Amino acid sequence: KAAFINFISDEEWKSIEPVSSWFGPSSLLMSSMSALFKLSMWIRHGHGYLTENLGIPVWGSYAVFGLATLFLGMVLGLVSEALGTDWGC
């Protein structure tokens, strides 16, 4: 606590280089990281719901999410092919 108070009162913060805009809170990188974190929390809650509320075994929940991942990849691949989009692959 004392070190933080000294950091502020002695104005040591002026010698620190500011964060670049690439790593700023509103940058595309940080917004993407936030979206991935929110997705991971949604998956965690979904796993909990499937195993605790519905009584599906853990391996069953993994199978549901694995199949959902495969299905989503297939749909995105079909949409990409239909639009003629090359994602660099």
Side-chain angles (χ1 to χ4, degrees):
K1 181 178 171 181
F4 180 70
I5 292 172
N6 290 337
F7 179 76
I8 301 299
S9 63
D10 296 341
E11 296 183 355
E12 293 176 21
W13 52 270
K14 288 184 176 180
S15 64
I16 296 177
E17 188 175 325
V19 175
S20 72
S21 62
W22 181 249
F23 295 107
S26 61
S27 70
L28 177 64
L29 177 65
M30 291 299 142
S31 297
S32 301
M33 292 300 294
S34 173
L36 286 174
F37 180 75
K38 289 176 185 176
L39 175 65
S40 71
M41 294 304 295
W42 181 84
I43 290 171
R44 179 178 174 214
H45 289 298
H47 174 71
Y49 178 77
L50 291 174
T51 56
E52 294 169 13
N53 295 357
L54 299 181
I56 295 175
V58 172
W59 63 266
S61 175
Y62 291 159
V64 167
F65 283 108
L67 290 173
T69 301
L70 290 172
F71 180 74
L72 182 61
M74 182 183 70
V75 168
L76 289 174
L78 289 172
V79 168
S80 172
E81 195 61 34
L83 296 176
T85 307
D86 183 15
W87 294 97
C89 297

